[in-house]
Amino acid sequence: MSAEIDLERVADLPTQEDAPRNPPAPRRLPLFANLAAALFSLGGNAIALVALPIIALTETGSPLAAGVVGVFSTVPLVIGGALGGVLVDRFGYRVSSIVADLASAVTVLAIPLLHATVGLPFGVMLALVFLGGLLDPPGDTAKTSMTPDLAALARWPIERAAGAQAAVQRTAVMLGAGTAGALVAFLGPMPALLVDAGGFAVSTLLVACFIPRAARTQSTDGRAQEPSAATRSERGGFVEGLRFVASSPLLRSIVLLVTLTNAIDAAGMTVLKPLYATQVLGDPAQLGFMVGCFAAGALTGSIVFGAVGHRFSGRLMFAACFMVAGTLPYLTMALGAPVPVLLPVLALSGFAAGAINPMISTAMYGLIPDGMRARVFGVTTAGVAATMPLGAFLGGLAAEQLGLVPTLAGCAALYVVLASSPLYLTSFRGLRSST
């Protein structure tokens, strides 16, 4: 009988007496494959994040149309996050990741293919954007949920794995946005989506080929541990995950803060920054470099935080990072900064943002019990995305009715209020012990 435990089926744990005296060597390839798959899939998402608003603006010339595209790309995040976690827990992390990435590749590829052949009406494009966005949360949730088990298989501390995961996320956005900027500048936004589809295809192959169907994790003292996917309980589904988040003051506060700031950032990414690149800077391709500079700063910030940032108060750092990451770029754009000023500011704000995700991930991994990861991550994904469609729509409406500069100034003011909340809400005190 095989000594491995299937990650996707419930199996009985061996007793402590049955544990091998000489545990097997660490297996790092599955963890690295999972991180690489996340790099390609998230990099593809970053390309779409740049290309789709540019397509909407060039095809229609309307900021509100770009906002509508933002709505259709963010509403599915709420639905996919709510249902995806339950499905991932039920069908398994590996299978869910493969199916979601493969389906995303097909939906993204359909946009440039239809545009080049029979034509692409705006309504059809919105439907494909919606379907593609619906598939992203289950795939991302599956990869995130595999991280603790694969880290144990590699004998990596979970803090190190969470830091690597955050670095991969930032690197993916940096490389994807930079690639999108170059592709849009030289070839146009439609060819950029071909590269996006290729990223999902590579992610599918990495998970299918290098992450085993079965694996056994070992604690550092050599005792066998059952992977959490194998011990998952399917009772309660999404509601159980929602109850868990609601019962944790720290998780509630984090989800609420990120939900509100994501509404602003959805407007910024889908409407305000594309408008700034096209109207103020005069070059739509600059959007890719704007996003890339922010992501490069965020990658550097993640690395620095992993090395020294954890020595400081998590609560104070959390507030400071949100303030610099959110308020500074909107204020700078409201003042009409040119490219030589704007790009370094975005890099600095990204540097501050680099510490946010590791703090949140470490806190969540420490709070969420085994067997509930996918559904709790699904609930939080749905929660933090809940206001993004409204933010994208209101951003397009405000830019069209009030103008770009007043809308940017309003976003900066809102960020000041929200970013300071960890300083006076006692529920954020848990971040100190988590980081």
Side-chain angles (χ1 to χ4, degrees), residues 96 99 148 177 249 321 348:
S96 298
V99 172
C321 288
L348 177 61

mmCIF file of all heavy atoms in Angstrom, residues 96 99 148 177 249 321 348:
data_model
loop_
_atom_site.group_PDB
_atom_site.id
_atom_site.type_symbol
_atom_site.label_atom_id
_atom_site.label_comp_id
_atom_site.label_asym_id
_atom_site.label_seq_id
_atom_site.Cartn_x
_atom_site.Cartn_y
_atom_site.Cartn_z
ATOM 1 N N SER A 96 -9.096 21.771 -9.153
ATOM 2 C CA SER A 96 -9.748 23.073 -9.301
ATOM 3 C C SER A 96 -8.823 24.074 -9.982
ATOM 4 O O SER A 96 -9.268 24.859 -10.833
ATOM 5 C CB SER A 96 -10.174 23.600 -7.927
ATOM 6 O OG SER A 96 -11.105 22.737 -7.316
ATOM 7 N N VAL A 99 -8.593 23.107 -13.851
ATOM 8 C CA VAL A 99 -9.819 23.402 -14.599
ATOM 9 C C VAL A 99 -10.026 24.905 -14.737
ATOM 10 O O VAL A 99 -10.374 25.413 -15.825
ATOM 11 C CB VAL A 99 -11.031 22.744 -13.910
ATOM 12 C CG1 VAL A 99 -12.334 23.191 -14.558
ATOM 13 C CG2 VAL A 99 -10.918 21.224 -13.980
ATOM 14 N N PRO A 148 0.143 26.001 2.307
ATOM 15 C CA PRO A 148 0.605 25.433 3.578
ATOM 16 C C PRO A 148 1.006 23.966 3.475
ATOM 17 O O PRO A 148 2.006 23.544 4.063
ATOM 18 C CB PRO A 148 -0.594 25.636 4.518
ATOM 19 C CG PRO A 148 -1.359 26.764 3.921
ATOM 20 C CD PRO A 148 -1.199 26.602 2.451
ATOM 21 N N ALA A 177 2.195 43.688 -16.146
ATOM 22 C CA ALA A 177 1.881 45.065 -16.536
ATOM 23 C C ALA A 177 2.936 45.626 -17.480
ATOM 24 O O ALA A 177 2.615 46.310 -18.460
ATOM 25 C CB ALA A 177 1.761 45.938 -15.288
ATOM 26 N N PRO A 249 -12.727 39.204 15.097
ATOM 27 C CA PRO A 249 -12.669 40.669 14.967
ATOM 28 C C PRO A 249 -11.595 41.142 14.003
ATOM 29 O O PRO A 249 -11.822 42.089 13.239
ATOM 30 C CB PRO A 249 -12.383 41.139 16.404
ATOM 31 C CG PRO A 249 -12.878 40.029 17.274
ATOM 32 C CD PRO A 249 -12.626 38.770 16.506
ATOM 33 N N CYS A 321 1.383 51.884 5.783
ATOM 34 C CA CYS A 321 1.490 51.333 4.428
ATOM 35 C C CYS A 321 0.253 51.639 3.599
ATOM 36 O O CYS A 321 0.355 51.995 2.415
ATOM 37 C CB CYS A 321 1.732 49.826 4.501
ATOM 38 S SG CYS A 321 3.381 49.363 5.063
ATOM 39 N N LEU A 348 7.253 54.173 -5.043
ATOM 40 C CA LEU A 348 7.279 54.365 -3.592
ATOM 41 C C LEU A 348 5.996 53.866 -2.949
ATOM 42 O O LEU A 348 6.028 53.192 -1.903
ATOM 43 C CB LEU A 348 7.485 55.849 -3.271
ATOM 44 C CG LEU A 348 7.455 56.232 -1.780
ATOM 45 C CD1 LEU A 348 8.568 55.510 -1.027
ATOM 46 C CD2 LEU A 348 7.569 57.743 -1.614
#
